[in-house]
Amino acid sequence: MKQFKIAAVAILLATASQSTMAQDPFDYKVDRFADIEVLRYQVPEFESLSLDQKRLVYYLTEAALWGRDILWDQNYKYNLPLRSLLEQIYTSYTGDRNDPQFLAFEKYLKQVEFANGIHHHYSTDKFTPEFSREWFESQAEGKNCPVLTEVTEAIFNPSVAAKRVNQAEGEDLIVTSANNFYDGVTQQEVEDFYAAVKDTTDLTPVSYGLNTRLTKKDGKVVEQVYKLDGYYSKAISRIVDNLTRAMTYAENDAQRAIIARLIDFYTTGDLATFDDYSIRWTEDTASRVDFINGFIESYGDPLGMTGSWESIVNFRNDEASHRTEVLSSNAQWFENHSPVDPRFRKDKVKGVSAKVITAAILAGDAYPATPIGINLPNANWIRAQHGSKSVTIENITDAYDKAGQGSGFNEEFVIDEPTRELLEKYLFITDNLHTDLHECLGHGSGRLMPGVDPDALKAHGSTLEEARADLFALYYLGDPKMLELGLLDNPDAYKAEYYKYILNGLMTQLMRIEPGKDIEEAHMRNRQLIAAWAYEHSKKDKVIELVKHGGKTYVKINDYKALRDLFGQLLSEIQRIKSEGDYAAGADLVARYAVKVDPKLHKEVLDRYATLDIAPYKGFVNPVYTAVRDDNGTITDVTVSYGEDYLPQMFRYSRDYNGLDD
Ligand code: ZN
């Protein structure tokens, strides 16, 4: 599971103290187009790694970059030939680069590169080109594209592959979703297929469908497995090559065995091997360098089964990890005091290990848009028996905050000066703590009743799981335990995160939604669910109000303690829904609070945002790692540089890591 930056709300960090600090000479801003801003991040302390650790990081980053094209193909079956054609047109264009048609084309290209395909990375709606079909067809002439008709239709015909992930209740979610996890099969056929292979009495089930594409052969539904000599074999062989080299420089035997098991998994496609790998990976808390590499998150599949390929290579930030160590060493205390029915608590919270990390590379589904916190593995039984590993990526949150200073957001949306001061003082720390709590305790807390199918909440599973983790974090942020543990130094600090959360959930996250559209993405649904539920249930006592000043709407929180109680109540109910697999109650909560948007308020938010020029979405280019080699080809050093721009990086990756090209 992953946690994203909470939109622009966390950009309110233009604090007086920071503005008096010495100017940070690092250039965070790389590119700005459509609803996107591209940033760079630094990799502090890379130089402090030993030579072997640097070599390990280097080969792991190579293994990460070689998976890029898998993700592109998973997102939509014509994404790769389409990208190749767009890049050919862009690089060979000899006309006027200020021509409106070319500028519109450039914008579209940048959007497609950012989204790893033709669908918006967040809304999953298809991009609408602002250049003409005639212009495009004249440019495509003479270029190499074996599926030109399909690609042109995909770009220009709004009814072709309109949405990557369709979650609309009542429709065939497989047929109407353009992702490439399924081909030529219906939702009913997919559900029947897995109902037949799933053993519901198995207490340690594999993650069915995690690494497969479902299609039909001779009228029968069959799985195509992502593995060596299977689907995506070419890219996987390059990943395996680099993992094999990385293994030589593993920090210890446990880590060497982890990489070996991952290679086994890629070789066989066997999901039980993946579980074994995941358990070993979860239990390795000693190694400083760490990585995610594989088919991990299933947000891209409307049925939440198949994993999108991703990789993040990282190393522990020892100083900042103190915070998460304090949380995880008190995990049982938090579990025992959680406001849920004791039957749904874990008797023993197992190995919730948490650390703050420095990302060295972002790849696949984690690039360029990237999470700020991750908690893995996703398999429920592994989490219950072996715990999970939770990380907060602080060099990424740091880059967000530095790049966002002085945006004018807080002046526009925060109700008054005292609240702004509260946010300026405490939002950075409470926001990071929220992520720590969400990832390292929230997802890991609670348990399912015996016999409850972990997928019982179906299409609403992700939304409710994120809500559960967020509520756990919100509830405990306001607990005196935070002060007792030395994690906060002021009993009012939590109010900063509460204010931001409600403001975002009720109003400001709407800047990401087009007029007339519903909320669809799981994290956004979860945030509105929590904020709208709390608002609805506090009307009588006016805990939260929406007030008007000068025609503008503001969130006013009158009673933070009462709000904390509301968070506790909703946590208790959502934990019950999860523990009992109460689909109907879960679906009802989502339908009532998470999806629909008040069109008047929505318009107001969009209008107010338009005056600020804040990009609703952000992502990152990676640093460039260069291996310095001696005459024998042995790596004697690895250097890191930051100068690469957005499209040049994309084109380099397309050229040098074209893992599926024949
Ligand atoms: Zn989460």
Side-chain angles (χ1 to χ4, degrees), residues 102-142:
F102 180 79
L103 289 174
F105 172 78
E106 182 178 51
K107 174 180 162 190
Y108 181 80
L109 169 66
K110 287 181 175 181
Q111 288 180 294
V112 170
E113 297 281 6
F114 192 88
N116 297 294
I118 57 171
H119 302 94
H120 192 281
H121 73 286
Y122 210 81
S123 74
T124 83
D125 289 326
K126 199 167 74 165
F127 295 120
T128 306
E130 293 164 7
F131 49 94
S132 74
R133 188 168 183 141
E134 292 69 40
W135 184 89
F136 178 78
E137 283 172 346
S138 72
Q139 295 299 320
E141 229 170 60

Short mmCIF file of all heavy atoms in Angstrom, two decimals, residues 102-142:
data_model
loop_
_atom_site.label_atom_id
_atom_site.label_comp_id
_atom_site.label_asym_id
_atom_site.label_seq_id
_atom_site.Cartn_x
_atom_site.Cartn_y
_atom_site.Cartn_z
N PHE A 102 2.35 22.28 -32.84
CA PHE A 102 3.50 21.61 -32.24
C PHE A 102 3.48 21.77 -30.72
O PHE A 102 3.77 20.83 -29.98
CB PHE A 102 4.81 22.16 -32.82
CG PHE A 102 6.01 21.48 -32.21
CD1 PHE A 102 6.41 20.22 -32.65
CD2 PHE A 102 6.72 22.09 -31.18
CE1 PHE A 102 7.50 19.58 -32.06
CE2 PHE A 102 7.80 21.45 -30.59
CZ PHE A 102 8.20 20.20 -31.04
N LEU A 103 3.14 22.97 -30.25
CA LEU A 103 3.11 23.21 -28.80
C LEU A 103 2.07 22.30 -28.13
O LEU A 103 2.30 21.76 -27.04
CB LEU A 103 2.82 24.67 -28.51
CG LEU A 103 3.97 25.63 -28.84
CD1 LEU A 103 3.53 27.08 -28.66
CD2 LEU A 103 5.21 25.33 -28.00
N ALA A 104 0.93 22.14 -28.80
CA ALA A 104 -0.11 21.26 -28.25
C ALA A 104 0.38 19.81 -28.24
O ALA A 104 0.13 19.05 -27.30
CB ALA A 104 -1.39 21.38 -29.07
N PHE A 105 1.11 19.45 -29.28
CA PHE A 105 1.67 18.11 -29.35
C PHE A 105 2.70 17.88 -28.24
O PHE A 105 2.73 16.84 -27.58
CB PHE A 105 2.32 17.91 -30.74
CG PHE A 105 3.10 16.63 -30.85
CD1 PHE A 105 2.45 15.42 -31.04
CD2 PHE A 105 4.49 16.64 -30.76
CE1 PHE A 105 3.17 14.24 -31.14
CE2 PHE A 105 5.22 15.46 -30.85
CZ PHE A 105 4.55 14.25 -31.04
N GLU A 106 3.53 18.90 -28.01
CA GLU A 106 4.56 18.80 -26.97
C GLU A 106 3.92 18.59 -25.59
O GLU A 106 4.36 17.78 -24.78
CB GLU A 106 5.41 20.05 -26.98
CG GLU A 106 6.55 20.03 -25.97
CD GLU A 106 7.41 21.29 -26.04
OE1 GLU A 106 6.83 22.40 -26.01
OE2 GLU A 106 8.64 21.16 -26.15
N LYS A 107 2.84 19.35 -25.35
CA LYS A 107 2.13 19.21 -24.07
C LYS A 107 1.59 17.79 -23.92
O LYS A 107 1.73 17.16 -22.86
CB LYS A 107 0.99 20.23 -24.02
CG LYS A 107 0.07 20.09 -22.80
CD LYS A 107 -1.02 21.16 -22.84
CE LYS A 107 -2.19 20.82 -21.92
NZ LYS A 107 -3.33 21.71 -22.13
N TYR A 108 0.99 17.28 -24.99
CA TYR A 108 0.43 15.92 -24.96
C TYR A 108 1.54 14.90 -24.70
O TYR A 108 1.40 14.00 -23.86
CB TYR A 108 -0.26 15.65 -26.29
CG TYR A 108 -0.90 14.28 -26.38
CD1 TYR A 108 -2.14 14.03 -25.81
CD2 TYR A 108 -0.26 13.23 -27.05
CE1 TYR A 108 -2.73 12.78 -25.90
CE2 TYR A 108 -0.84 11.98 -27.14
CZ TYR A 108 -2.08 11.75 -26.57
OH TYR A 108 -2.65 10.51 -26.65
N LEU A 109 2.67 15.06 -25.39
CA LEU A 109 3.80 14.15 -25.19
C LEU A 109 4.26 14.15 -23.73
O LEU A 109 4.49 13.11 -23.12
CB LEU A 109 4.95 14.57 -26.12
CG LEU A 109 6.31 13.90 -25.86
CD1 LEU A 109 6.26 12.41 -26.15
CD2 LEU A 109 7.41 14.56 -26.70
N LYS A 110 4.36 15.36 -23.16
CA LYS A 110 4.79 15.45 -21.76
C LYS A 110 3.78 14.79 -20.83
O LYS A 110 4.15 14.15 -19.85
CB LYS A 110 4.98 16.92 -21.37
CG LYS A 110 6.23 17.53 -21.98
CD LYS A 110 6.41 18.99 -21.54
CE LYS A 110 7.73 19.54 -22.07
NZ LYS A 110 7.94 20.94 -21.66
N GLN A 111 2.50 14.94 -21.15
CA GLN A 111 1.48 14.29 -20.32
C GLN A 111 1.59 12.77 -20.41
O GLN A 111 1.50 12.07 -19.40
CB GLN A 111 0.07 14.73 -20.78
CG GLN A 111 -0.26 16.16 -20.43
CD GLN A 111 -1.66 16.53 -20.92
OE1 GLN A 111 -1.91 16.59 -22.12
NE2 GLN A 111 -2.57 16.76 -19.99
N VAL A 112 1.78 12.27 -21.63
CA VAL A 112 1.87 10.83 -21.82
C VAL A 112 3.11 10.27 -21.11
O VAL A 112 3.04 9.24 -20.43
CB VAL A 112 1.88 10.49 -23.33
CG1 VAL A 112 2.20 9.02 -23.56
CG2 VAL A 112 0.53 10.84 -23.96
N GLU A 113 4.23 10.97 -21.23
CA GLU A 113 5.45 10.50 -20.56
C GLU A 113 5.25 10.46 -19.06
O GLU A 113 5.71 9.55 -18.37
CB GLU A 113 6.64 11.42 -20.90
CG GLU A 113 7.03 11.47 -22.37
CD GLU A 113 7.86 10.26 -22.83
OE1 GLU A 113 8.04 9.33 -22.04
OE2 GLU A 113 8.31 10.27 -24.00
N PHE A 114 4.56 11.45 -18.54
CA PHE A 114 4.38 11.52 -17.09
C PHE A 114 3.48 10.40 -16.59
O PHE A 114 3.67 9.87 -15.50
CB PHE A 114 3.76 12.88 -16.71
CG PHE A 114 3.79 13.14 -15.22
CD1 PHE A 114 4.89 13.75 -14.65
CD2 PHE A 114 2.73 12.76 -14.40
CE1 PHE A 114 4.94 13.98 -13.28
CE2 PHE A 114 2.78 12.99 -13.04
CZ PHE A 114 3.88 13.60 -12.47
N ALA A 115 2.48 10.06 -17.40
CA ALA A 115 1.48 9.08 -16.97
C ALA A 115 1.86 7.65 -17.33
O ALA A 115 1.11 6.73 -17.06
CB ALA A 115 0.13 9.42 -17.60
N ASN A 116 3.03 7.45 -17.94
CA ASN A 116 3.39 6.13 -18.45
C ASN A 116 2.29 5.59 -19.37
O ASN A 116 1.92 4.42 -19.28
CB ASN A 116 3.66 5.15 -17.31
CG ASN A 116 4.85 5.57 -16.45
OD1 ASN A 116 5.98 5.58 -16.93
ND2 ASN A 116 4.59 5.93 -15.20
N GLY A 117 1.80 6.47 -20.21
CA GLY A 117 0.76 6.05 -21.14
C GLY A 117 -0.26 7.14 -21.39
O GLY A 117 -0.11 8.27 -20.91
N ILE A 118 -1.30 6.80 -22.12
CA ILE A 118 -2.25 7.81 -22.60
C ILE A 118 -3.33 8.16 -21.60
O ILE A 118 -4.21 8.97 -21.89
CB ILE A 118 -2.94 7.37 -23.91
CG1 ILE A 118 -3.63 6.02 -23.72
CG2 ILE A 118 -1.94 7.33 -25.06
CD1 ILE A 118 -4.51 5.62 -24.90
N HIS A 119 -3.30 7.54 -20.41
CA HIS A 119 -4.32 7.84 -19.40
C HIS A 119 -3.69 8.58 -18.22
O HIS A 119 -2.62 8.21 -17.74
CB HIS A 119 -4.96 6.55 -18.89
CG HIS A 119 -5.59 5.73 -19.97
ND1 HIS A 119 -4.92 4.72 -20.61
CD2 HIS A 119 -6.83 5.79 -20.53
CE1 HIS A 119 -5.72 4.17 -21.52
NE2 HIS A 119 -6.88 4.81 -21.49
N HIS A 120 -4.39 9.59 -17.75
CA HIS A 120 -3.91 10.38 -16.62
C HIS A 120 -3.54 9.46 -15.46
O HIS A 120 -4.30 8.55 -15.12
CB HIS A 120 -5.01 11.36 -16.20
CG HIS A 120 -4.54 12.41 -15.24
ND1 HIS A 120 -4.37 12.16 -13.90
CD2 HIS A 120 -4.19 13.70 -15.43
CE1 HIS A 120 -3.95 13.26 -13.30
NE2 HIS A 120 -3.82 14.22 -14.22
N HIS A 121 -2.38 9.70 -14.84
CA HIS A 121 -1.89 8.77 -13.83
C HIS A 121 -2.82 8.67 -12.63
O HIS A 121 -2.84 7.67 -11.94
CB HIS A 121 -0.49 9.16 -13.36
CG HIS A 121 -0.46 10.38 -12.47
ND1 HIS A 121 -0.64 11.67 -12.95
CD2 HIS A 121 -0.29 10.51 -11.13
CE1 HIS A 121 -0.57 12.51 -11.94
NE2 HIS A 121 -0.37 11.85 -10.83
N TYR A 122 -3.61 9.71 -12.40
CA TYR A 122 -4.43 9.74 -11.19
C TYR A 122 -5.90 9.49 -11.50
O TYR A 122 -6.52 8.61 -10.92
CB TYR A 122 -4.24 11.08 -10.49
CG TYR A 122 -4.39 11.01 -8.98
CD1 TYR A 122 -3.34 10.58 -8.18
CD2 TYR A 122 -5.58 11.38 -8.39
CE1 TYR A 122 -3.48 10.52 -6.80
CE2 TYR A 122 -5.72 11.32 -7.00
CZ TYR A 122 -4.67 10.89 -6.22
OH TYR A 122 -4.82 10.83 -4.86
N SER A 123 -6.46 10.26 -12.43
CA SER A 123 -7.88 10.08 -12.75
C SER A 123 -8.09 8.86 -13.63
O SER A 123 -9.18 8.31 -13.68
CB SER A 123 -8.42 11.31 -13.47
OG SER A 123 -7.95 11.35 -14.80
N THR A 124 -7.06 8.42 -14.32
CA THR A 124 -7.04 7.34 -15.32
C THR A 124 -7.93 7.63 -16.54
O THR A 124 -8.18 6.76 -17.34
CB THR A 124 -7.38 5.93 -14.75
OG1 THR A 124 -8.79 5.73 -14.66
CG2 THR A 124 -6.70 5.68 -13.41
N ASP A 125 -8.38 8.88 -16.68
CA ASP A 125 -9.07 9.28 -17.91
C ASP A 125 -8.05 9.47 -19.03
O ASP A 125 -6.91 9.87 -18.79
CB ASP A 125 -9.78 10.64 -17.72
CG ASP A 125 -10.98 10.51 -16.80
OD1 ASP A 125 -11.63 9.45 -16.83
OD2 ASP A 125 -11.26 11.47 -16.06
N LYS A 126 -8.49 9.22 -20.25
CA LYS A 126 -7.60 9.41 -21.39
C LYS A 126 -7.36 10.89 -21.64
O LYS A 126 -8.29 11.70 -21.50
CB LYS A 126 -8.20 8.74 -22.63
CG LYS A 126 -7.18 8.47 -23.71
CD LYS A 126 -7.73 7.54 -24.78
CE LYS A 126 -8.73 8.26 -25.66
NZ LYS A 126 -8.97 7.47 -26.90
N PHE A 127 -6.13 11.23 -22.01
CA PHE A 127 -5.83 12.63 -22.34
C PHE A 127 -6.52 13.02 -23.64
O PHE A 127 -6.66 12.22 -24.54
CB PHE A 127 -4.32 12.83 -22.52
CG PHE A 127 -3.53 12.60 -21.27
CD1 PHE A 127 -2.55 11.62 -21.24
CD2 PHE A 127 -3.76 13.35 -20.12
CE1 PHE A 127 -1.81 11.40 -20.08
CE2 PHE A 127 -3.03 13.13 -18.97
CZ PHE A 127 -2.05 12.15 -18.95
N THR A 128 -6.89 14.30 -23.71
CA THR A 128 -7.49 14.82 -24.94
C THR A 128 -6.45 15.65 -25.68
O THR A 128 -5.96 16.64 -25.15
CB THR A 128 -8.69 15.71 -24.60
OG1 THR A 128 -9.58 14.97 -23.76
CG2 THR A 128 -9.42 16.14 -25.85
N PRO A 129 -6.10 15.24 -26.90
CA PRO A 129 -5.09 16.01 -27.64
C PRO A 129 -5.66 17.34 -28.09
O PRO A 129 -6.84 17.43 -28.43
CB PRO A 129 -4.75 15.12 -28.83
CG PRO A 129 -5.98 14.29 -29.03
CD PRO A 129 -6.60 14.10 -27.67
N GLU A 130 -4.82 18.38 -28.10
CA GLU A 130 -5.27 19.70 -28.55
C GLU A 130 -4.67 20.05 -29.91
O GLU A 130 -4.73 21.18 -30.35
CB GLU A 130 -4.91 20.76 -27.48
CG GLU A 130 -5.71 20.56 -26.20
CD GLU A 130 -5.15 21.31 -25.00
OE1 GLU A 130 -4.19 22.10 -25.17
OE2 GLU A 130 -5.66 21.08 -23.88
N PHE A 131 -4.06 19.03 -30.56
CA PHE A 131 -3.59 19.21 -31.94
C PHE A 131 -4.52 18.40 -32.84
O PHE A 131 -5.22 17.50 -32.38
CB PHE A 131 -2.14 18.75 -32.09
CG PHE A 131 -1.86 17.39 -31.51
CD1 PHE A 131 -1.91 16.24 -32.29
CD2 PHE A 131 -1.56 17.25 -30.15
CE1 PHE A 131 -1.67 14.99 -31.75
CE2 PHE A 131 -1.33 16.00 -29.60
CZ PHE A 131 -1.38 14.87 -30.40
N SER A 132 -4.49 18.74 -34.14
CA SER A 132 -5.48 18.13 -35.04
C SER A 132 -5.00 16.77 -35.53
O SER A 132 -3.80 16.48 -35.59
CB SER A 132 -5.75 19.04 -36.23
OG SER A 132 -4.66 19.00 -37.14
N ARG A 133 -5.98 15.97 -35.90
CA ARG A 133 -5.68 14.66 -36.45
C ARG A 133 -4.90 14.79 -37.76
O ARG A 133 -3.97 14.02 -38.02
CB ARG A 133 -7.00 13.91 -36.67
CG ARG A 133 -6.81 12.47 -37.06
CD ARG A 133 -8.14 11.70 -36.97
NE ARG A 133 -7.91 10.30 -37.28
CZ ARG A 133 -8.51 9.30 -36.66
NH1 ARG A 133 -9.39 9.53 -35.70
NH2 ARG A 133 -8.25 8.05 -37.00
N GLU A 134 -5.28 15.80 -38.55
CA GLU A 134 -4.59 16.01 -39.84
C GLU A 134 -3.11 16.32 -39.60
O GLU A 134 -2.23 15.77 -40.25
CB GLU A 134 -5.22 17.18 -40.61
CG GLU A 134 -6.63 16.94 -41.11
CD GLU A 134 -7.65 16.88 -39.99
OE1 GLU A 134 -7.56 17.68 -39.03
OE2 GLU A 134 -8.54 16.00 -40.03
N TRP A 135 -2.85 17.23 -38.65
CA TRP A 135 -1.46 17.58 -38.35
C TRP A 135 -0.69 16.34 -37.91
O TRP A 135 0.42 16.07 -38.38
CB TRP A 135 -1.43 18.64 -37.23
CG TRP A 135 -0.04 19.13 -36.92
CD1 TRP A 135 0.60 20.17 -37.52
CD2 TRP A 135 0.87 18.61 -35.95
NE1 TRP A 135 1.86 20.32 -37.00
CE2 TRP A 135 2.05 19.37 -36.03
CE3 TRP A 135 0.81 17.56 -35.04
CZ2 TRP A 135 3.16 19.14 -35.22
CZ3 TRP A 135 1.92 17.31 -34.23
CH2 TRP A 135 3.07 18.10 -34.32
N PHE A 136 -1.31 15.58 -37.04
CA PHE A 136 -0.64 14.38 -36.52
C PHE A 136 -0.36 13.38 -37.64
O PHE A 136 0.74 12.83 -37.74
CB PHE A 136 -1.50 13.73 -35.44
CG PHE A 136 -0.92 12.46 -34.90
CD1 PHE A 136 0.12 12.51 -33.97
CD2 PHE A 136 -1.38 11.22 -35.33
CE1 PHE A 136 0.67 11.34 -33.47
CE2 PHE A 136 -0.82 10.05 -34.83
CZ PHE A 136 0.20 10.11 -33.89
N GLU A 137 -1.35 13.17 -38.50
CA GLU A 137 -1.16 12.18 -39.57
C GLU A 137 -0.07 12.61 -40.54
O GLU A 137 0.71 11.77 -41.02
CB GLU A 137 -2.50 11.92 -40.28
CG GLU A 137 -3.38 11.02 -39.42
CD GLU A 137 -4.81 10.86 -39.94
OE1 GLU A 137 -5.22 11.63 -40.84
OE2 GLU A 137 -5.50 9.97 -39.43
N SER A 138 0.02 13.91 -40.77
CA SER A 138 1.08 14.37 -41.67
C SER A 138 2.45 14.17 -41.02
O SER A 138 3.43 13.85 -41.67
CB SER A 138 0.86 15.83 -42.07
OG SER A 138 1.14 16.68 -40.97
N GLN A 139 2.51 14.36 -39.69
CA GLN A 139 3.78 14.17 -38.97
C GLN A 139 4.17 12.70 -38.89
O GLN A 139 5.35 12.35 -38.85
CB GLN A 139 3.68 14.75 -37.56
CG GLN A 139 3.49 16.26 -37.51
CD GLN A 139 4.63 17.02 -38.13
OE1 GLN A 139 5.79 16.66 -37.98
NE2 GLN A 139 4.31 18.06 -38.88
N ALA A 140 3.15 11.84 -38.80
CA ALA A 140 3.42 10.40 -38.61
C ALA A 140 3.89 9.74 -39.90
O ALA A 140 4.44 8.64 -39.87
CB ALA A 140 2.16 9.71 -38.09
N GLU A 141 3.70 10.44 -41.00
CA GLU A 141 4.06 9.86 -42.29
C GLU A 141 5.54 9.52 -42.35
O GLU A 141 6.39 10.33 -41.98
CB GLU A 141 3.73 10.86 -43.41
CG GLU A 141 2.93 10.23 -44.55
CD GLU A 141 2.43 11.29 -45.49
OE1 GLU A 141 3.27 12.03 -46.07
OE2 GLU A 141 1.21 11.41 -45.62
N GLY A 142 5.81 8.30 -42.80
CA GLY A 142 7.20 7.88 -42.94
C GLY A 142 7.87 7.46 -41.66
O GLY A 142 9.02 7.05 -41.65
#
